[in-house]
C-alpha cells in the first residue's frame, strides 16, 4: 500500500502544461488552470481514442504519431507545445529525453514501405478486435485505475440515465450557433423565398464586387462554368452537424474515427475529421446520449459528427479519401505536370440533424473473471489490482456477458480480489464487465475546399 500511495503521489505531482511555443517558465505559471484542464481533456480524448488494443503498444505509438501530425494547429491558429511542470508549477527539464540528431539518416523507401504495411496490419487487427470485443480495455499495471479513468462515469442505462448536455463544454462551442427548432426555421426560410422580389425562373445579371485577384485567377471561364449558389437564412453560421453514413462495400480498408475525409455536402466540399456514433432509429433515447464508435463498420448505418456550416434538409453527403490517398489513374493533368487521381468513395449518406446537444459517449469496458462462485455471490479478480480502485468504482453497476447484473460488495485482500453479488447464479465461463462513459467532441479542424 505504501508503494502504491507513493506512486500515486508521484503521478499527481507532475502534470503537462499546454502553452504557446516560446513561452518561458515564468509566463507558463500564469496560464489559467481552467484552460489547462480544458486542453488536457482534449489531449486525453485524442490519446484515448488511439488506445483500442492495450496490448498492441507499437500500434498505439503509431496512432499517436498520426494524431499529433494532424493536430499541430491549435484552436486559435497558434502552435502549442507541452511543458512538464511539478505540483508548484515549476518547469521540469527533460534531462532523460534524447535529442534528435539533425544529421541522422532518414529511412530508406523500402523501410518506409515496410513500416506502412506494418501500420496497416495493426489497424486491420484493431478493427477486427473492436468488432469482436467492442470497447474492452485492460487496467494498466503502472497507474491506478481511478487516475487513468478519472474522467469517466458510470451510467445505469445509456438510454435513460440523465446527462446534462451543457456540462464541461469545450471552448469551440463558443463559436457555434444553436437553433431552437431547425425544422421551423427551414420552413420559414423557404416560405420567405416565395415572397422574394425575384421569382424562380427569372433571368438575372449578377455583378460580383470586391473579388480577390487570386480567386479571379483561379477561375478559367473559357473551360469551366462559374457556378453560383444561394444559401438559406443561417446557412453561413457554424454549428455541430450530424449526418448518416454507410460504408462503400468496395472499400475494405479500416475507417477510424477522426481519420481525414473529403466530404461533399450538397454543393460544398470540406476536409473533415468526423466522429462516428451509433444510429438509434428504433429505440430513441430520452437523454440524447449515443455510443461512440471507434471504427466505421461495414453494413452498418452510423452517424458522423463534424463542425460545419448549418445545412437544412436531407442534403446528400459523400465521403472520399483526401488528396493523394486516392487511386492513381496513371495520367497527368494537362498543362500542370501533376498526376491525376481517381476519387475513392468511402461512404455515402445524408444530413441527419443540426444539434449541438447530441451527446457522443465513448465507452470503455473493464473486464474480470470469476475466481470462486457461491450461489449469488462470487469472488472476482483481474478487473482491478488494488483495494483503492475497488472502493472508488464500488457504486457502479456490474453486468455479465450472460445477462446477469450485480454490484461490488467489498474488497478482499490487497491484490485486487473483490466480493460481488448478482441477481442470480453466474457461470464459471462468464465474464464480468463494468461500463464507463466519457463525452467526446469533434475537433475544430474543418477546412473548406
Amino acid at each position: 500500500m505504501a508503494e502504491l500511495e507513493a506512486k500515486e503521489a508521484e503521478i499527481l505531482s507532475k502534470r503537462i502544461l499546454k502553452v504557446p511555443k516560446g513561452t518561458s517558465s515564468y509566463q507558463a505559471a500564469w496560464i489559467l488552470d481552467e484552460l489547462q484542464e480544458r486542453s488536457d481533456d482534449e489531449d486525453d480524448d485524442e490519446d484515448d481514442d488511439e488506445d483500442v488494443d492495450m496490448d498492441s503498444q507499437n500500434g498505439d505509438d503509431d496512432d499517436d504519431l498520426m494524431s499529433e501530425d494532424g493536430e499541430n494547429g491549435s484552436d486559435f491558429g497558434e502552435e502549442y507545445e507541452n511543458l512538464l511542470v511539478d505540483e508548484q508549477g515549476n518547469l521540469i527539464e527533460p534531462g532523460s529525453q534524447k535529442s534528435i540528431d539533425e544529421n541522422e539518416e532518414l529511412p530508406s523507401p523500402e523501410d518506409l514501405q515496410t513500416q506502412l504495411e506494418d501500420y496497416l496490419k495493426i489497424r486491420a487487427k484493431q478493427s477486427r478486435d473492436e468488432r469482436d470485443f467492442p470497447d474492452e480495455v485492460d487496467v494498466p499495471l503502472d497507474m491506478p485505475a481511478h487516475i487513468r479513468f478519472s474522467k469517466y462515469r458510470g451510467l445505469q442505462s445509456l438510454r435513460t440515465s440523465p446527462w446534462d448536455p451543457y456540462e464541461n463544454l469545450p471552448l469551440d462551442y463558443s463559436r457555434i450557433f444553436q437553433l431552437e427548432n431547425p425544422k421551423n426555421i427551414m420552413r420559414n426560410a423557404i416560405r420567405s423565398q416565395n415572397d422574394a422580389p425575384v421569382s424562380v425562373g427569372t433571368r438575372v445579371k449578377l455583378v460580383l464586387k470586391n473579388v480577390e485577384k487570386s480567386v479571379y485567377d483561379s477561375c478559367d471561364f473559357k473551360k469551366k462554368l462559374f457556378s453560383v449558389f444561394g444559401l438559406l437564412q443561417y446557412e453561413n453560421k457554424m454549428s455541430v452537424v450530424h449526418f448518416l453514413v454507410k460504408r462503400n462495400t468496395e472499400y475494405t480498408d479500416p475507417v477510424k474515427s477522426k481519420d481525414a475525409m473529403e466530404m461533399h455536402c450538397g454543393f460544398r466540399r470540406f476536409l473533415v475529421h468526423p466522429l462516428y456514433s451509433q444510429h438509434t432509429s428504433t429505440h430513441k433515447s430520452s437523454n440524447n446520449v449515443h455510443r461512440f464508435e471507434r471504427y466505421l463498420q461495414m453494413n452498418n448505418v452510423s452517424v458522423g459528427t463534424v463542425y460545419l456550416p448549418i445545412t437544412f434538409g436531407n442534403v446528400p453527403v459523400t465521403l472520399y479519401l483526401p488528396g493523394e490517398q486516392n487511386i492513381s489513374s496513371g495520367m497527368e493533368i494537362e498543362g500542370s505536370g501533376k498526376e491525376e487521381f481517381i476519387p475513392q468513395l468511402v461512404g455515402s449518406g445524408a444530413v441527419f440533424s443540426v444539434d449541438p446537444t447530441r451527446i457522443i459517449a465513448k465507452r470503455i469496458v473493464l473486464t474480470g473473471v470469476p475466481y470462486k462462485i457461491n450461489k449469488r455471490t462470487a469472488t472476482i479478480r483481474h478487473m482491478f489490482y488494488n483495494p483503492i480502485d475497488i472502493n472508488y468504482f464500488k457504486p457502479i453497476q456490474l453486468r455479465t456477458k450472460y445477462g446477469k447484473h450485480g454490484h461490488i460488495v467489498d474488497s478482499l485482500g490487497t491484490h485486487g480480489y473483490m466480493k460481488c453479488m448478482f441477481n442470480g447464479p453466474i457461470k464459471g465461463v462468464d465474464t464480468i464487465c463494468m461500463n464507463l462513459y466519457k463525452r467526446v467532441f469533434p475537433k475544430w479542424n474543418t477546412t473548406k475546399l
Side-chain angles (χ1 to χ4, degrees):
M1 292 294 296
E3 295 180 359
L4 182 62
E5 293 177 356
K7 184 180 293 185
E8 180 178 349
E10 182 181 357
I11 294 173
L12 294 176
S13 64
K14 297 180 181 179
R15 57 193 177 97
I16 296 177
L17 187 65
K18 189 175 181 181
V19 297
K21 282 190 175 181
T23 303
S24 64
S25 59
Y26 175 78
Q27 293 172 330
W30 292 90
I31 301 295
L32 296 178
D33 291 338
E34 182 180 359
L35 296 180
Q36 296 169 12
E37 293 174 359
R38 296 287 178 89
S39 300
D40 291 340
D41 289 343
E42 295 176 2
D43 292 341
D44 289 341
D45 288 344
E46 191 71 24
D47 295 336
D48 293 342
D49 293 341
E50 305 297 338
D51 296 334
V52 177
D53 187 358
M54 300 293 287
D55 297 330
S56 303
Q57 295 295 336
N58 294 333
D60 294 343
D61 294 341
D62 291 340
D63 287 346
D64 289 339
L65 290 176
M66 294 294 290
S67 65
E68 289 176 4
D69 291 340
E71 297 294 331
N72 287 335
S74 68
D75 296 340
F76 301 98
E78 301 180 16
E79 293 186 355
Y80 281 71
E81 62 181 350
N82 294 329
L83 298 179
L84 188 62
V85 297
D86 59 13
E87 197 170 1
Q88 287 76 28
N90 299 322
L91 180 64
I92 299 177
E93 296 294 339
S96 60
Q97 298 180 355
K98 297 181 180 179
S99 59
I100 300 175
D101 186 5
E102 296 180 356
N103 298 325
E104 184 179 357
E105 294 184 359
L106 296 176
S108 63
E110 293 78 8
D111 294 339
L112 290 176
Q113 183 65 25
T114 303
Q115 294 174 6
L116 177 60
E117 293 176 356
D118 294 341
Y119 170 71
L120 294 178
K121 289 179 181 178
I122 292 173
R123 292 245 323 198
K125 180 181 180 300
Q126 291 177 351
S127 180
R128 291 192 301 269
D129 292 344
E130 178 64 21
R131 182 188 60 221
D132 299 335
F133 308 100
D135 304 325
E136 290 189 11
V137 299
D138 295 329
V139 175
L141 299 176
D142 58 343
M143 181 182 294
H146 67 276
I147 295 179
R148 175 64 181 86
F149 306 118
S150 61
K151 297 170 186 173
Y152 290 81
R153 69 181 70 186
L155 296 178
Q156 187 173 7
S157 173
L158 184 65
R159 294 175 47 248
T160 59
S161 296
W163 194 322
D164 184 8
Y166 301 103
E167 173 188 356
N168 295 331
L169 296 179
L171 292 176
D172 294 334
Y173 266 54
S174 63
R175 305 180 178 186
I176 65 175
F177 285 75
Q178 179 183 357
L179 304 180
E180 184 176 357
N181 194 330
K183 292 185 178 180
N184 284 345
I185 293 176
M186 181 185 68
R187 283 195 290 265
N188 293 335
I190 295 176
R191 191 181 300 114
S192 63
Q193 284 187 335
N194 298 330
D195 302 331
V198 180
S199 60
V200 177
T202 306
R203 186 179 181 88
V204 297
K205 181 180 180 180
L206 296 178
V207 179
L208 302 181
K209 295 182 179 180
N210 301 325
V211 179
E212 296 182 2
K213 189 175 184 304
S214 59
V215 177
Y216 177 80
D217 295 338
S218 63
C219 299
D220 190 354
F221 300 102
K222 296 181 179 179
K223 297 182 179 179
K224 298 180 181 179
L225 292 176
F226 186 78
S227 302
V228 179
F229 298 92
L231 297 177
L232 297 177
Q233 188 181 16
Y234 303 116
E235 282 196 327
N236 60 336
K237 307 295 185 182
M238 295 293 291
S239 186
V240 181
V241 178
H242 311 279
F243 59 92
L244 299 177
V245 60
K246 186 175 182 180
R247 283 197 56 171
N248 178 23
T249 55
E250 297 179 358
Y251 183 72
T252 57
D253 291 345
V255 179
K256 194 172 186 178
S257 284
K258 300 184 182 179
D259 279 354
M261 292 288 166
E262 184 177 320
M263 178 180 179
H264 292 214
C265 181
F267 61 88
R268 295 189 277 198
R269 297 189 304 128
F270 305 93
L271 181 64
V272 297
H273 298 73
L275 295 179
Y276 302 112
S277 58
Q278 275 189 333
H279 176 48
T280 54
S281 58
T282 55
H283 304 284
K284 292 187 177 180
S285 60
S286 59
N287 54 5
N288 202 18
V289 177
H290 307 271
R291 186 165 65 85
F292 169 78
E293 292 183 344
R294 290 179 172 84
Y295 288 87
L296 183 62
Q297 299 293 351
M298 196 74 72
N299 301 324
N300 290 340
V301 177
S302 300
V303 177
T305 302
V306 291
Y307 289 113
L308 280 184
I310 294 175
T311 304
F312 292 121
N314 297 325
V315 178
V317 171
T318 52
L319 296 179
Y320 298 90
L321 289 182
E324 297 184 357
Q325 295 185 28
N326 293 301
I327 303 173
S328 174
S329 62
M331 301 175 62
E332 292 186 357
I333 302 177
E334 182 180 356
S336 64
K338 297 182 180 180
E339 194 172 2
E340 185 179 10
F341 293 91
I342 301 175
Q344 174 62 57
L345 179 64
V346 177
S348 59
V351 173
F352 179 59
S353 65
V354 181
D355 185 12
T357 62
R358 177 186 171 98
I359 298 175
I360 304 176
K362 177 187 174 183
R363 183 184 73 173
I364 62 172
V365 181
L366 307 182
T367 58
V369 295
Y371 177 65
K372 290 182 180 180
I373 301 175
N374 183 15
K375 295 183 179 179
R376 293 176 55 192
T377 61
T379 302
I380 308 301
R381 61 178 178 177
H382 299 333
M383 181 178 289
F384 304 107
Y385 300 103
N386 60 76
I388 298 177
D389 291 339
I390 295 175
N391 293 328
Y392 183 86
F393 291 100
K394 192 175 181 179
I396 301 178
Q397 187 182 38
L398 301 175
R399 67 174 180 87
T400 71
K401 292 190 175 181
Y402 281 81
K404 302 296 182 180
H405 296 274
H407 61 276
I408 300 174
V409 177
D410 200 3
S411 173
L412 303 176
T414 61
H415 297 286
Y417 287 71
M418 56 186 182
K419 181 181 179 181
C420 303
M421 180 173 288
F422 299 90
N423 60 346
I426 64 173
K427 298 181 180 181
V429 297
D430 207 346
T431 302
I432 315 302
C433 302
M434 176 183 289
N435 295 339
L436 301 175
Y437 300 91
K438 178 182 70 172
R439 186 177 182 181
V440 293
F441 300 90
K443 298 294 182 182
W444 190 274
N445 47 18
T446 300
T447 305
K448 187 176 181 181
L449 300 178

